[in-house]
């Protein structure tokens, strides 16, 4: 698995490992798959910082 580059303000690998089990499944039973959770959370954190 290739990890994306960590940009300033993004979640670290350790933070992500603590948060990941608390999120819903990436691919729900019905409907289309959701966006990547890590990208979404990093986007939310970026909005909060700006």
């Amino acid at each position: 698995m290739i990890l994306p580059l960590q940009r300033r303000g993004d979640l670290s690998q350790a933070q992500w490992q603590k948060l990941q089990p608390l999120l819903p499944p990436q691919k729900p039973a019905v409907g289309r798959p959701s966006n990547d959770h890590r990208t979404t959370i990093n986007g939310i954190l970026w909005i909060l910082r700006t």
Side-chain angles (χ1 to χ4, degrees), residues 5-17:
L5 294 175
Q6 183 177 350
R7 291 174 282 196
R8 184 176 49 155
D10 285 355
L11 291 173
S12 68
Q13 188 64 24
Q15 291 170 324
W16 176 245
Q17 287 177 350

Side-chain angles (χ1 to χ4, degrees), residues 20-40:
Q20 189 176 16
L22 303 173
L23 298 171
Q26 187 70 32
K27 184 174 182 193
V30 294
R32 66 183 177 127
S34 57
N35 292 332
D36 178 49
H37 290 312
R38 189 171 188 162
T39 304
T40 302

